[in-house]
Amino acid sequence: MERFGKRPTRALAGLIVLGVLTLTGCGTDPITTGTRPHAGIAPGGASFDRTPIPLDQLPGYTPPGRTAEGSATRPLLGTDGDISWQVFDQNSTPLTDHTAAEPVSWGDPSDYTTVPGVLAWRGNNARTAPTYGQADLTTKTMSIAWTHDIGAVNAEGSYFPGAGWTGQPLLVNWPQATKAAMSLSASQVSDPNFTEVIYPVFDGHVYRLDLATGQETKPPMEGQWGFKGTGSIDPRGYPLLYAGQGLNEDGDRSGPFEYRIFDLIQNKQVAHISGTDEVSGRKNPTGWGAFDSSALVDAHSDTLIEPGENGVIYQAKLNSSFDAAAKTVSVDPTITKMTYRHPYAFQYGIESSTSAWKNLMYAGDNDGNLICWDATTLQIVWARQLSLGNDSDTTPVLGVENGHPYLYTGTSVAQSGVKRQGQLAHLVKVDGLTGDVVWDHTVPTMFDFHVKGGVLATSLLGQGEVADLVFYNVGRTTSPSEGTLIALDRVTGQVAWSRSLSKYSWSSPVLVSGTDGHQYGVFGDSDGVLHLFNPVDGRDYSTLSLGKNIEASVAVYNDMLVVASYNQKIYGIKLS
């Protein structure tokens, strides 16, 4: 995302709390307790298959209207006016109707991939799996096992060291045949526990490391320009990496914006989608065309979906193939694209990653909208304005409760929104079929042109003993440097506890499953401190300093955590 709007802090949530009790965590952060009316009651989360849902079976569905120019339209939810959209082929020729050759749809998040690890932003199509496996947390501590140096760039009038938002590493326990095809070492190919770290970062390189040692498995791949978001590994175990650049400058050098596809056998880029697109609604002097979103790949239809900061949603038939014995992988994308317009646009663009329930896909945008579209036809199903003129960069998280999809998301404050609606961040739960708001918890935040307040981190659904809760990081709440970590009841939106952080955080919290049956939370803050905390009450068990701002989000494989900080290092952290 542009430096305009990234780098939050937290303010105090204007919370209505019942049974207030202030506690002290590890350090001086005060914690306020509320209520847990559904403690011990996990939402009924039935699994689901990938059978697409016909749009005319959705509650209240009506066919879209048409403008005189031929664009399709629907009323915007939450405000007056319509949202219109148009679909184009890869030559930017308008298409009256579009249906992909095969249905594009996702199944239960547990079926997103059979490859062990964290292969995309938050791991799956629900964005609920930033960790894999279990850790023995007997001492409840963290220690640095290894480090790997990385660089920095100067771009957009700012300095970008290490890794930033969202910046999550990918952790992959490859199939043996894939490891052999990539010509990894004999010991790595034969070791069933070998796991590779794949990490695109600010300096424009993609680093490939051994999770156990931090040693390079291959030389860094050259991406030319900086990565800010999180990449995606092909969920079929194909040696393909999909990663979009967030910057196109380094000092006095500049180049084109691209969403890049890397062949991990040849260890180089082999295809791309251009971010400079004539159908984009994002017209400004810089021609902004970055890609911060982490793509989802539907393995069944060989299709990738990637929204851009240029306001275009791309559907790419990959035409991919992988021959492990021949040590070859190929990809030749055929692109279809959808762009939309509405009367309240401040700056078109999507920085959030998508989540998906069957054929319905969801993302927030730069104008504070939550948009649902059909992955097969690229038809907008509904669009909900969450906060007029504000921003929604956080990725909507999918929770399926009693067979029904719900989304947990939020907003940050933008310059336009401050003028229109004040400095409030909205923490919301939305019905995934209708776009109706189930609850809306507002938090006062602070605005700065370069450092927005509000929800930049992606929310975290509880599991196990905290399955009744959803966790949010909110930036710039009580002061420009502070923030709030808050746990809400998933059914009612009531506050279970909130913790005033002395340093704000854009780093998305994760839960690690302990071998003792308990859940353990982890997040990084803008002071460069990793927190290992108890998600039941918000108190720290222990902390670990990584030197400078941890704006990126962590990924965890069993007892190993990986993240990079502004300290220009990738860290391998042992959980004990």
Side-chain angles (χ1 to χ4, degrees):
M1 89 185 345
E2 295 163 278
R3 181 52 50 198
F4 160 119
K6 258 135 194 102
R7 210 147 285 158
T9 61
R10 284 191 208 308
L12 179 71
L15 307 176
I16 299 174
V17 181
L18 303 178
V20 172
L21 174 64
T22 300
L23 306 171
T24 302
C26 178
T28 59
D29 293 345
I31 298 171
T32 303
T33 61
T35 61
R36 287 183 65 185
H38 297 91
I41 305 174
S47 62
F48 61 94
D49 63 32
R50 63 179 300 273
T51 305
I53 183 168
L55 299 186
D56 60 9
Q57 292 184 14
L58 294 174
Y61 177 84
T62 58
R66 289 280 176 183
T67 66
E69 295 76 25
S71 297
T73 68
R74 288 199 185 283
L76 266 171
L77 303 179
T79 188
D80 296 328
D82 292 340
I83 186 167
S84 63
W85 70 95
Q86 178 68 68
V87 180
F88 302 85
D89 68 14
Q90 61 184 10
N91 297 315
S92 300
T93 302
L95 301 174
T96 303
D97 293 295
H98 166 69
T99 301
E102 298 176 73
V104 182
S105 189
W106 285 266
D108 192 81
S110 62
D111 297 328
Y112 180 71
T113 180
T114 59
V115 178
V118 183
L119 275 65
W121 172 243
R122 312 295 272 185
N124 57 31
N125 52 293
R127 308 299 186 173
T128 55
T131 65
Y132 179 88
Q134 293 183 314
D136 182 350
L137 282 154
T138 302
T139 64
K140 300 177 178 57
T141 57
M142 303 173 287
S143 59
I144 297 173
W146 52 261
T147 64
H148 189 88
D149 291 342
I150 55 178
V153 296
N154 290 285
E156 299 299 317
S158 188
Y159 180 62
F160 295 82
W165 185 96
T166 55
Q168 174 208 284
L170 306 172
L171 311 177
V172 194
N173 185 326
W174 294 103
Q176 186 174 23
T178 307
K179 290 188 290 183
M182 294 189 296
S183 298
L184 296 177
S185 72
S187 62
Q188 291 165 344
V189 172
S190 63
D191 181 2
N193 296 314
F194 169 78
T195 302
E196 189 172 28
V197 179
I198 310 278
Y199 210 162
V201 297
F202 276 149
D203 68 15
H205 292 96
V206 180
Y207 291 90
R208 303 182 64 176
L209 310 174
D210 183 333
L211 175 62
T213 66
Q215 297 299 306
E216 289 186 351
T217 57
K218 294 280 186 180
M221 289 188 292
E222 176 59 66
Q224 299 183 57
W225 313 107
F227 300 97
K228 284 198 263 183
T230 297
S232 300
I233 296 291
D234 194 289
R236 296 165 288 191
Y238 289 9
L240 291 170
L241 167 69
Y242 312 100
Q245 65 184 95
L247 301 167
N248 71 331
E249 296 178 359
D250 184 6
D252 58 1
R253 300 188 306 119
S254 64
F257 279 112
E258 292 182 349
Y259 189 79
R260 303 174 185 273
I261 301 177
F262 295 88
D263 175 340
L264 298 178
I265 295 175
Q266 299 185 69
N267 209 41
K268 68 177 186 180
Q269 180 179 329
V270 292
H272 74 274
I273 299 171
S274 175
T276 304
D277 201 314
E278 61 187 296
V279 304
S280 170
R282 187 73 172 266
K283 307 296 184 186
N284 59 45
T286 61
W288 194 257
F291 294 93
D292 282 351
S293 180
S294 175
L296 286 179
V297 174
D298 173 25
H300 296 270
S301 66
D302 189 39
T303 301
L304 174 146
I305 304 290
E306 169 68 12
E309 278 194 69
N310 58 7
V312 182
I313 296 170
Y314 294 91
Q315 178 195 76
K317 174 68 173 177
L318 292 169
N319 300 307
S320 63
S321 65
F322 172 43
D323 186 332
K327 297 187 176 183
T328 60
V329 66
S330 64
V331 62
D332 184 18
T334 301
I335 307 299
T336 307
K337 44 197 180 181
M338 182 262 280
T339 187
Y340 63 91
R341 305 286 189 270
H342 60 83
Y344 305 104
F346 172 60
Q347 58 178 12
Y348 288 107
I350 294 175
E351 297 174 59
S352 116
S353 295
T354 59
S355 56
W357 181 80
K358 296 180 179 284
N359 51 311
L360 301 184
M361 303 196 75
Y362 311 94
D365 77 358
N366 290 157
D367 293 307
N369 298 302
L370 178 61
I371 300 172
C372 169
W373 70 92
D374 175 49
T376 301
T377 64
L378 297 182
Q379 174 184 161
I380 289 182
V381 178
W382 53 259
R384 160 71 61 177
Q385 189 172 92
L386 300 176
S387 181
L388 180 61
N390 281 316
D391 205 341
S392 186
D393 294 329
T394 181
T395 296
V397 172
L398 176 71
V400 179
E401 300 162 17
N402 299 315
H404 196 98
Y406 293 95
L407 303 162
Y408 296 86
T409 189
T411 66
S412 56
V413 294
Q415 184 177 29
S416 175
V418 169
K419 295 175 181 177
R420 290 169 167 170
Q421 292 191 336
Q423 297 175 227
L424 287 176
H426 294 258
L427 286 53
V428 298
K429 178 179 182 177
V430 176
D431 187 313
L433 298 185
T434 66
D436 294 336
V437 174
V438 178
W439 48 254
D440 182 349
H441 183 86
T442 57
V443 179
T445 57
M446 299 182 179
F447 174 78
D448 177 270
F449 184 78
H450 297 287
V451 187
K452 292 187 298 186
V455 183
L456 280 300
T458 291
S459 59
L460 172 67
L461 290 189
Q463 57 190 22
E465 64 205 306
V466 288
D468 58 310
L469 302 179
V470 57
F471 303 88
Y472 285 87
N473 256 345
V474 190
R476 294 178 61 84
T477 50
T478 51
S479 82
S481 64
E482 298 175 356
T484 302
L485 182 66
I486 184 170
L488 302 179
D489 179 90
R490 285 175 61 176
V491 176
T492 66
Q494 289 176 275
V495 178
W497 56 259
S498 67
R499 172 179 171 179
S500 297
L501 302 176
S502 59
K503 298 296 179 182
Y504 74 83
S505 171
W506 281 10
S507 180
S508 301
V510 306
L511 285 177
V512 178
S513 294
T515 55
D516 59 3
H518 291 293
Q519 297 295 312
Y520 296 85
V522 181
F523 73 96
D525 70 25
S526 57
D527 203 34
V529 176
L530 271 181
H531 299 260
L532 177 65
F533 70 95
N534 184 349
V536 173
D537 58 23
R539 287 179 285 185
D540 281 342
Y541 290 118
S542 61
T543 60
L544 178 68
S545 177
L546 303 187
K548 294 182 180 179
N549 190 351
I550 306 171
E551 190 175 282
S553 295
V554 310
V556 181
Y557 189 98
N558 290 331
D559 62 357
M560 284 297 295
L561 177 154
V562 180
V563 72
S565 81
Y566 277 22
N567 210 27
Q568 294 182 228
K569 294 180 185 296
I570 300 171
Y571 292 86
I573 309 293
K574 179 69 180 296
L575 303 175
S576 305

